[in-house]
Amino acid sequence: MEHRIPRFTLDGVRDAEVSVHPFATEDGLGLTLTRFRRAGFPAVGSPDDVVLLVHGLTSSSDMFIMPEHLNLVRFLHDSGFGDVWALDFRMSNRFPYNVETRRHTLDDIAQYDHPAALRELRRHVGARRIHVVAHCLGSVSFHMSLFSGAVDGIASLVANSVGLTPRVHRWARLKLAAGPVLLEYGTGLPYLDPRFRDAPPFTRRWLLARAVSLFHPECGEAACHMQSFMWGSGRPAMYRHGNLRPETHVHERLADLNGACDVNYYRHVRKMVAAGRVVKFDPAEPRHAALPDDYLVNAADVDTPILYLTGDHNDVFTDSNIVCHEVMSKAAPGRHELRVLPGYGHIDPLIGKDAHMDVFPHILDFLKRH
Protein backbone atom coordinates (compact mmCIF):
# COMPACT_ATOMS: atom_id res chain seq x y z
CA MET A 1 0.00 0.00 0.00
CA GLU A 2 1.43 3.35 -1.05
CA HIS A 3 1.69 5.85 1.80
CA ARG A 4 0.89 9.36 0.63
CA ILE A 5 2.11 10.56 4.05
CA PRO A 6 5.18 8.57 5.15
CA ARG A 7 4.79 6.47 8.25
CA PHE A 8 6.50 7.91 11.36
CA THR A 9 7.32 11.09 9.44
CA LEU A 10 8.75 14.18 11.14
CA ASP A 11 7.59 16.51 8.37
CA GLY A 12 5.09 18.07 10.75
CA VAL A 13 7.84 19.44 13.02
CA ARG A 14 10.51 20.58 10.57
CA ASP A 15 11.36 23.68 12.59
CA ALA A 16 12.06 21.71 15.78
CA GLU A 17 15.20 20.14 17.18
CA VAL A 18 14.24 16.48 17.64
CA SER A 19 15.94 14.04 20.00
CA VAL A 20 14.87 10.53 21.03
CA HIS A 21 15.37 9.32 24.60
CA PRO A 22 14.98 5.56 25.16
CA PHE A 23 14.33 4.20 28.63
CA ALA A 24 13.28 0.90 30.20
CA THR A 25 10.49 -0.03 32.58
CA GLU A 26 10.97 -2.17 35.68
CA ASP A 27 9.07 -5.00 34.01
CA GLY A 28 11.49 -5.06 31.11
CA LEU A 29 10.04 -3.08 28.20
CA GLY A 30 11.92 -0.51 26.15
CA LEU A 31 9.97 2.72 25.62
CA THR A 32 10.83 6.16 24.25
CA LEU A 33 10.38 9.85 24.88
CA THR A 34 10.79 12.19 21.92
CA ARG A 35 11.75 15.80 22.57
CA PHE A 36 10.62 18.54 20.20
CA ARG A 37 12.51 21.72 21.05
CA ARG A 38 11.85 24.94 19.19
CA ALA A 39 15.08 26.39 17.81
CA GLY A 40 16.25 29.22 20.09
CA PHE A 41 14.43 27.97 23.15
CA PRO A 42 14.73 28.93 26.02
CA ALA A 43 15.84 32.32 24.76
CA VAL A 44 12.18 32.86 23.82
CA GLY A 45 8.98 31.45 25.23
CA SER A 46 8.39 30.00 28.69
CA PRO A 47 11.61 28.29 29.82
CA ASP A 48 10.14 27.09 33.13
CA ASP A 49 7.46 24.91 31.53
CA VAL A 50 7.61 21.52 29.81
CA VAL A 51 4.66 19.81 28.12
CA LEU A 52 4.40 16.01 27.94
CA LEU A 53 2.00 14.50 25.37
CA VAL A 54 0.53 11.04 25.99
CA HIS A 55 -1.26 9.08 23.24
CA GLY A 56 -4.01 6.47 23.61
CA LEU A 57 -4.36 2.77 22.83
CA THR A 58 -3.40 1.85 19.24
CA SER A 59 -2.05 5.33 18.48
CA SER A 60 1.40 6.87 19.12
CA SER A 61 3.30 10.12 19.36
CA ASP A 62 2.56 10.54 15.63
CA MET A 63 -0.93 11.84 16.44
CA PHE A 64 0.69 15.01 17.84
CA ILE A 65 3.00 15.78 14.89
CA MET A 66 0.77 15.16 11.85
CA PRO A 67 2.04 17.15 8.83
CA GLU A 68 -1.32 17.54 7.12
CA HIS A 69 -2.50 20.28 9.49
CA LEU A 70 -1.26 22.55 12.27
CA ASN A 71 -0.48 19.90 14.88
CA LEU A 72 -0.36 20.23 18.66
CA VAL A 73 3.44 20.31 18.94
CA ARG A 74 3.76 23.17 16.43
CA PHE A 75 0.84 25.00 18.03
CA LEU A 76 2.47 24.82 21.47
CA HIS A 77 5.81 25.93 20.04
CA ASP A 78 4.18 28.88 18.30
CA SER A 79 2.40 29.78 21.55
CA GLY A 80 5.52 30.00 23.72
CA PHE A 81 5.85 26.43 25.00
CA GLY A 82 9.10 25.61 23.25
CA ASP A 83 9.99 22.36 25.01
CA VAL A 84 7.45 19.63 24.20
CA TRP A 85 7.95 15.91 24.79
CA ALA A 86 5.88 13.00 23.49
CA LEU A 87 5.76 9.61 25.16
CA ASP A 88 5.50 6.31 23.33
CA PHE A 89 4.53 3.79 26.01
CA ARG A 90 3.60 0.11 25.68
CA MET A 91 0.30 0.86 23.91
CA SER A 92 2.09 2.70 21.09
CA ASN A 93 1.80 1.28 17.58
CA ARG A 94 5.50 2.12 17.17
CA PHE A 95 6.24 -0.98 19.26
CA PRO A 96 5.31 -4.64 18.70
CA TYR A 97 3.83 -5.10 22.19
CA ASN A 98 0.17 -4.87 21.12
CA VAL A 99 0.47 -7.98 18.94
CA GLU A 100 2.61 -10.15 21.22
CA THR A 101 -0.17 -11.62 23.39
CA ARG A 102 1.39 -10.22 26.55
CA ARG A 103 -1.97 -9.76 28.34
CA HIS A 104 -1.02 -6.40 29.80
CA THR A 105 -3.49 -4.31 31.79
CA LEU A 106 -3.74 -0.61 32.51
CA ASP A 107 -2.32 -1.35 35.97
CA ASP A 108 0.95 -2.34 34.30
CA ILE A 109 1.07 1.02 32.53
CA ALA A 110 0.21 2.95 35.69
CA GLN A 111 2.85 1.18 37.74
CA TYR A 112 5.67 0.86 35.22
CA ASP A 113 5.36 3.10 32.14
CA HIS A 114 4.42 6.55 33.37
CA PRO A 115 6.68 6.56 36.45
CA ALA A 116 9.65 5.47 34.33
CA ALA A 117 8.82 8.11 31.71
CA LEU A 118 8.66 10.86 34.34
CA ARG A 119 11.97 9.77 35.85
CA GLU A 120 13.62 9.95 32.44
CA LEU A 121 11.98 13.28 31.66
CA ARG A 122 13.03 14.84 34.94
CA ARG A 123 16.58 13.61 34.36
CA HIS A 124 16.69 16.06 31.44
CA VAL A 125 14.47 18.94 32.59
CA GLY A 126 15.14 18.97 36.33
CA ALA A 127 12.69 20.82 38.54
CA ARG A 128 10.85 22.65 35.76
CA ARG A 129 7.05 22.57 35.71
CA ILE A 130 5.64 19.58 33.81
CA HIS A 131 2.22 19.79 32.18
CA VAL A 132 0.60 16.69 30.67
CA VAL A 133 -1.87 16.43 27.78
CA ALA A 134 -3.24 12.88 27.59
CA HIS A 135 -5.72 11.11 25.33
CA CYS A 136 -8.03 8.08 25.69
CA LEU A 137 -6.52 5.17 27.65
CA GLY A 138 -3.33 7.18 27.91
CA SER A 139 -5.41 9.59 29.95
CA VAL A 140 -6.98 6.81 32.01
CA SER A 141 -3.61 5.20 32.77
CA PHE A 142 -1.98 8.53 33.58
CA HIS A 143 -4.82 9.30 35.97
CA MET A 144 -4.13 5.91 37.57
CA SER A 145 -0.45 6.76 38.06
CA LEU A 146 -1.27 10.20 39.42
CA PHE A 147 -4.09 9.14 41.75
CA SER A 148 -2.16 6.16 43.08
CA GLY A 149 0.85 8.33 43.92
CA ALA A 150 3.08 6.52 41.43
CA VAL A 151 3.78 9.93 39.87
CA ASP A 152 3.52 13.36 41.45
CA GLY A 153 4.57 16.95 40.95
CA ILE A 154 2.46 17.45 37.81
CA ALA A 155 1.62 21.13 37.30
CA SER A 156 -1.52 20.45 35.25
CA LEU A 157 -3.25 17.70 33.29
CA VAL A 158 -5.44 17.97 30.20
CA ALA A 159 -7.50 14.80 29.73
CA ASN A 160 -9.21 14.20 26.39
CA SER A 161 -12.30 11.98 26.10
CA VAL A 162 -12.05 9.98 29.35
CA GLY A 163 -10.61 10.15 32.85
CA LEU A 164 -11.52 8.14 35.94
CA THR A 165 -15.14 7.23 35.08
CA PRO A 166 -15.22 5.35 31.74
CA ARG A 167 -18.69 5.10 30.19
CA VAL A 168 -19.61 3.59 26.82
CA HIS A 169 -22.67 2.95 24.64
CA ARG A 170 -24.71 -0.24 25.12
CA TRP A 171 -23.37 -1.81 21.90
CA ALA A 172 -19.82 -1.12 23.05
CA ARG A 173 -20.61 -2.79 26.39
CA LEU A 174 -21.68 -5.91 24.51
CA LYS A 175 -18.47 -5.88 22.47
CA LEU A 176 -16.39 -5.48 25.63
CA ALA A 177 -18.18 -8.42 27.25
CA ALA A 178 -18.08 -10.91 24.38
CA GLY A 179 -15.34 -9.65 22.07
CA PRO A 180 -12.13 -10.87 23.76
CA VAL A 181 -13.41 -14.44 24.18
CA LEU A 182 -14.92 -14.67 20.70
CA LEU A 183 -11.80 -13.27 19.07
CA GLU A 184 -9.19 -15.25 21.01
CA TYR A 185 -11.01 -18.58 21.18
CA GLY A 186 -13.46 -18.33 18.30
CA THR A 187 -11.22 -16.90 15.58
CA GLY A 188 -7.77 -17.39 17.10
CA LEU A 189 -7.05 -13.65 16.82
CA PRO A 190 -5.51 -12.17 20.00
CA TYR A 191 -5.46 -8.67 18.51
CA LEU A 192 -7.34 -6.45 16.07
CA ASP A 193 -5.73 -4.34 13.37
CA PRO A 194 -7.26 -1.74 11.02
CA ARG A 195 -5.01 -3.23 8.31
CA PHE A 196 -6.86 -6.57 8.27
CA ARG A 197 -8.34 -5.74 4.86
CA ASP A 198 -4.82 -5.95 3.44
CA ALA A 199 -4.38 -9.55 4.61
CA PRO A 200 -4.38 -12.34 1.97
CA PRO A 201 -7.89 -12.98 0.59
CA PHE A 202 -10.09 -15.41 2.54
CA THR A 203 -7.84 -15.49 5.60
CA ARG A 204 -9.54 -14.91 8.96
CA ARG A 205 -8.25 -11.34 9.13
CA TRP A 206 -9.44 -10.49 5.60
CA LEU A 207 -12.87 -12.09 6.19
CA LEU A 208 -13.36 -10.19 9.44
CA ALA A 209 -12.50 -6.87 7.80
CA ARG A 210 -14.88 -7.57 4.91
CA ALA A 211 -17.67 -8.52 7.33
CA VAL A 212 -17.16 -5.36 9.40
CA SER A 213 -17.28 -3.18 6.27
CA LEU A 214 -20.72 -4.57 5.41
CA PHE A 215 -22.09 -2.75 8.46
CA HIS A 216 -20.35 0.56 7.70
CA PRO A 217 -21.69 2.09 4.48
CA GLU A 218 -20.81 5.62 5.63
CA CYS A 219 -17.49 5.66 3.74
CA GLY A 220 -15.23 3.47 1.63
CA GLU A 221 -12.23 3.27 3.98
CA ALA A 222 -11.76 -0.17 5.54
CA ALA A 223 -9.50 1.13 8.33
CA CYS A 224 -12.23 3.58 9.35
CA HIS A 225 -14.71 0.68 9.58
CA MET A 226 -12.34 -1.47 11.61
CA GLN A 227 -11.61 1.35 14.04
CA SER A 228 -15.34 1.80 14.61
CA PHE A 229 -15.57 -1.94 15.26
CA MET A 230 -12.61 -1.81 17.64
CA TRP A 231 -13.81 1.24 19.58
CA GLY A 232 -17.18 2.64 20.50
CA SER A 233 -20.47 2.60 18.68
CA GLY A 234 -21.11 4.76 15.63
CA ARG A 235 -20.74 5.29 11.89
CA PRO A 236 -17.96 6.29 12.39
CA ALA A 237 -17.21 5.97 16.10
CA MET A 238 -13.78 7.56 16.51
CA TYR A 239 -14.40 11.00 15.01
CA ARG A 240 -16.69 13.06 12.82
CA HIS A 241 -15.75 12.56 9.18
CA GLY A 242 -15.95 16.27 8.41
CA ASN A 243 -13.34 17.08 11.05
CA LEU A 244 -10.56 15.20 9.23
CA ARG A 245 -8.59 16.37 6.24
CA PRO A 246 -9.01 14.19 3.12
CA GLU A 247 -5.34 13.17 3.42
CA THR A 248 -6.06 11.81 6.91
CA HIS A 249 -9.24 9.92 6.07
CA VAL A 250 -7.69 7.28 3.82
CA HIS A 251 -7.15 3.63 4.69
CA GLU A 252 -3.38 3.57 5.03
CA ARG A 253 -3.15 6.86 6.94
CA LEU A 254 -5.84 5.91 9.45
CA ALA A 255 -4.14 2.55 10.00
CA ASP A 256 -0.80 4.30 10.55
CA LEU A 257 -2.28 6.65 13.15
CA ASN A 258 -4.32 4.02 15.02
CA GLY A 259 -2.88 0.54 14.71
CA ALA A 260 -3.26 -2.90 16.26
CA CYS A 261 -4.84 -3.51 19.66
CA ASP A 262 -4.30 -6.36 22.13
CA VAL A 263 -7.81 -7.50 23.11
CA ASN A 264 -6.82 -8.11 26.74
CA TYR A 265 -7.01 -4.37 27.40
CA TYR A 266 -10.73 -4.63 26.65
CA ARG A 267 -11.14 -6.89 29.67
CA HIS A 268 -9.79 -4.21 31.99
CA VAL A 269 -11.93 -1.51 30.34
CA ARG A 270 -14.97 -3.74 30.73
CA LYS A 271 -14.31 -4.11 34.46
CA MET A 272 -14.00 -0.33 34.82
CA VAL A 273 -17.17 0.35 32.84
CA ALA A 274 -19.06 -2.15 35.01
CA ALA A 275 -17.73 -0.49 38.17
CA GLY A 276 -18.44 3.02 36.87
CA ARG A 277 -14.94 4.09 37.85
CA VAL A 278 -11.31 3.13 37.34
CA VAL A 279 -10.47 0.03 39.36
CA LYS A 280 -7.62 -2.46 39.54
CA PHE A 281 -7.95 -5.40 37.16
CA ASP A 282 -6.87 -8.04 39.68
CA PRO A 283 -6.73 -7.00 43.34
CA ALA A 284 -4.88 -10.24 44.14
CA GLU A 285 -2.01 -9.55 41.73
CA PRO A 286 1.10 -9.11 43.94
CA ARG A 287 2.96 -7.04 41.32
CA HIS A 288 0.33 -4.32 41.72
CA ALA A 289 0.04 -4.38 45.50
CA ALA A 290 1.15 -0.74 45.70
CA LEU A 291 -1.78 0.39 43.55
CA PRO A 292 -5.25 1.06 45.00
CA ASP A 293 -8.17 -1.21 44.20
CA ASP A 294 -10.25 1.94 43.55
CA TYR A 295 -8.33 4.83 42.01
CA LEU A 296 -10.90 7.42 43.14
CA VAL A 297 -10.46 6.66 46.81
CA ASN A 298 -8.03 9.55 47.41
CA ALA A 299 -9.33 11.92 44.74
CA ALA A 300 -9.46 14.91 47.06
CA ASP A 301 -5.77 14.57 47.94
CA VAL A 302 -4.43 15.05 44.40
CA ASP A 303 -3.78 18.77 43.94
CA THR A 304 -3.03 18.70 40.19
CA PRO A 305 -5.67 20.79 38.35
CA ILE A 306 -7.28 18.87 35.47
CA LEU A 307 -9.05 20.12 32.35
CA TYR A 308 -11.51 17.52 31.08
CA LEU A 309 -12.09 17.77 27.32
CA THR A 310 -14.74 15.90 25.36
CA GLY A 311 -16.56 16.24 22.09
CA ASP A 312 -20.32 16.48 22.31
CA HIS A 313 -20.47 13.57 19.80
CA ASN A 314 -18.11 11.25 21.68
CA ASP A 315 -19.18 7.79 20.49
CA VAL A 316 -16.32 5.98 22.20
CA PHE A 317 -16.47 7.16 25.83
CA THR A 318 -19.76 9.10 25.60
CA ASP A 319 -20.15 11.49 28.55
CA SER A 320 -17.30 10.00 30.61
CA ASN A 321 -15.49 13.29 31.14
CA ILE A 322 -18.68 15.17 31.98
CA VAL A 323 -19.40 12.63 34.70
CA CYS A 324 -15.76 12.59 35.82
CA HIS A 325 -15.76 16.38 36.19
CA GLU A 326 -18.88 16.15 38.34
CA VAL A 327 -17.30 13.50 40.56
CA MET A 328 -14.00 15.35 40.83
CA SER A 329 -15.72 18.65 41.55
CA LYS A 330 -17.45 17.08 44.54
CA ALA A 331 -14.14 15.71 45.79
CA ALA A 332 -12.20 18.95 45.20
CA PRO A 333 -14.55 21.89 44.48
CA GLY A 334 -13.15 24.50 42.10
CA ARG A 335 -9.95 22.62 41.25
CA HIS A 336 -10.91 21.05 37.93
CA GLU A 337 -12.50 22.29 34.71
CA LEU A 338 -14.65 20.91 31.88
CA ARG A 339 -14.80 21.91 28.23
CA VAL A 340 -17.36 20.29 25.92
CA LEU A 341 -16.39 20.71 22.27
CA PRO A 342 -19.30 21.24 19.87
CA GLY A 343 -19.19 19.10 16.74
CA TYR A 344 -16.30 16.90 17.89
CA GLY A 345 -16.01 13.22 18.73
CA HIS A 346 -13.39 11.08 20.49
CA ILE A 347 -10.00 11.63 18.81
CA ASP A 348 -10.68 14.50 16.38
CA PRO A 349 -10.15 17.11 19.13
CA LEU A 350 -6.45 16.26 18.70
CA ILE A 351 -6.16 15.13 15.07
CA GLY A 352 -8.86 17.27 13.45
CA LYS A 353 -8.05 19.72 10.66
CA ASP A 354 -9.46 22.68 12.62
CA ALA A 355 -8.40 21.60 16.11
CA HIS A 356 -5.83 24.42 16.19
CA MET A 357 -8.75 26.88 16.09
CA ASP A 358 -11.47 24.99 17.97
CA VAL A 359 -9.61 22.96 20.62
CA PHE A 360 -5.96 23.84 21.11
CA PRO A 361 -6.68 27.39 22.38
CA HIS A 362 -8.57 25.86 25.33
CA ILE A 363 -5.54 23.67 26.12
CA LEU A 364 -3.22 26.66 25.81
CA ASP A 365 -5.34 28.83 28.09
CA PHE A 366 -5.37 26.12 30.75
CA LEU A 367 -1.59 25.58 30.55
CA LYS A 368 -0.89 29.28 30.84
CA ARG A 369 -3.06 29.60 33.94
CA HIS A 370 -1.10 26.86 35.68
Side-chain angles (χ1 to χ4, degrees):
M1 178 67 68
E2 178 185 354
H3 284 62
R4 282 162 274 193
I5 297 175
R7 194 175 187 182
F8 306 146
T9 180
L10 294 176
D11 285 351
V13 285
R14 288 184 176 179
D15 56 350
E17 299 172 359
V18 181
S19 57
V20 179
H21 303 265
F23 63 95
T25 65
E26 291 183 359
D27 65 337
L29 295 186
L31 308 178
T32 60
L33 283 162
T34 305
R35 186 180 199 175
F36 304 97
R37 196 161 175 262
R38 173 59 61 87
F41 186 88
V44 296
S46 180
D48 294 326
D49 294 274
V50 174
V51 181
L52 174 64
L53 308 178
V54 181
H55 61 81
L57 178 55
T58 84
S59 55
S60 70
S61 57
D62 295 282
M63 68 179 289
F64 303 116
I65 58 171
M66 296 165 61
E68 58 262 52
H69 59 245
L70 180 54
N71 58 63
L72 183 54
V73 169
R74 282 180 51 210
F75 179 89
L76 290 171
H77 281 179
D78 292 345
S79 303
F81 288 87
D83 198 1
V84 180
W85 296 65
L87 170 64
D88 281 283
F89 62 104
R90 72 183 66 198
M91 284 183 172
S92 172
N93 65 49
R94 286 189 168 218
F95 300 125
Y97 308 135
N98 286 333
V99 296
E100 290 184 345
T101 324
R102 289 174 174 266
R103 302 184 81 82
H104 291 152
T105 68
L106 276 77
D107 297 311
D108 293 311
I109 299 166
Q111 179 158 329
Y112 300 117
D113 293 19
H114 297 311
L118 265 295
R119 286 194 295 270
E120 176 67 15
L121 178 58
R122 287 193 170 111
R123 191 169 71 85
H124 296 277
V125 304
R128 294 163 62 193
R129 288 186 296 266
I130 297 175
H131 307 268
V132 177
V133 179
H135 168 66
C136 187
L137 294 185
S139 171
V140 173
S141 59
F142 196 87
H143 272 81
M144 292 163 68
S145 288
L146 183 63
F147 282 74
S148 68
V151 302
D152 58 14
I154 303 301
S156 71
L157 171 61
V158 177
N160 184 57
S161 186
V162 60
L164 287 166
T165 57
R167 294 159 61 89
V168 300
H169 289 300
R170 185 176 301 174
W171 170 235
R173 277 178 173 259
L174 179 61
K175 289 192 290 183
L176 287 171
V181 171
L182 289 176
L183 286 165
E184 285 189 325
Y185 297 99
T187 69
L189 295 171
Y191 68 93
L192 292 171
D193 193 332
R195 294 185 178 85
F196 275 179
R197 189 203 65 177
D198 301 327
F202 302 105
T203 60
R204 288 169 297 172
R205 293 169 294 163
W206 183 88
L207 288 170
L208 178 60
R210 291 297 295 264
V212 168
S213 288
L214 292 176
F215 294 92
H216 286 276
E218 66 272 14
C219 70
E221 303 298 336
C224 183
H225 307 159
M226 279 297 298
Q227 287 173 13
S228 294
F229 176 68
M230 292 163 65
W231 293 105
S233 176
R235 294 188 174 96
M238 293 271 284
Y239 38 71
R240 312 300 285 177
H241 274 146
N243 289 338
L244 303 186
R245 290 189 63 87
E247 307 96 297
T248 303
H249 188 255
V250 293
H251 173 73
E252 68 276 8
R253 181 62 172 154
L254 291 172
D256 285 350
L257 289 170
N258 298 284
C261 172
D262 180 347
V263 300
N264 197 59
Y265 286 119
Y266 293 139
R267 293 185 171 98
H268 199 172
V269 175
R270 178 197 177 194
K271 187 167 186 177
M272 293 177 180
V273 169
R277 60 213 292 124
V278 172
V279 294
K280 187 185 291 182
F281 181 70
D282 181 6
E285 172 56 63
R287 294 185 304 118
H288 301 144
L291 300 176
D293 292 345
D294 180 345
Y295 286 87
L296 270 171
V297 67
N298 295 316
D301 298 333
V302 176
D303 58 6
T304 299
I306 304 171
L307 171 62
Y308 290 100
L309 290 177
T310 184
D312 65 352
H313 291 82
N314 189 338
D315 288 325
V316 175
F317 284 110
T318 63
D319 60 347
S320 298
N321 267 357
I322 297 173
V323 171
C324 192
H325 178 255
E326 293 173 354
V327 171
M328 298 295 289
S329 293
K330 291 177 182 177
R335 183 176 300 163
H336 309 295
E337 301 178 25
L338 170 69
R339 185 72 63 178
V340 179
L341 307 164
Y344 279 85
H346 166 67
I347 195 173
D348 40 340
L350 295 173
I351 71 168
K353 60 183 173 62
D354 294 325
H356 63 286
M357 296 185 291
D358 301 334
V359 182
F360 298 170
H362 299 304
I363 297 174
L364 177 66
D365 172 68
F366 188 73
L367 297 182
K368 285 185 172 180
R369 287 189 284 110
H370 297 93

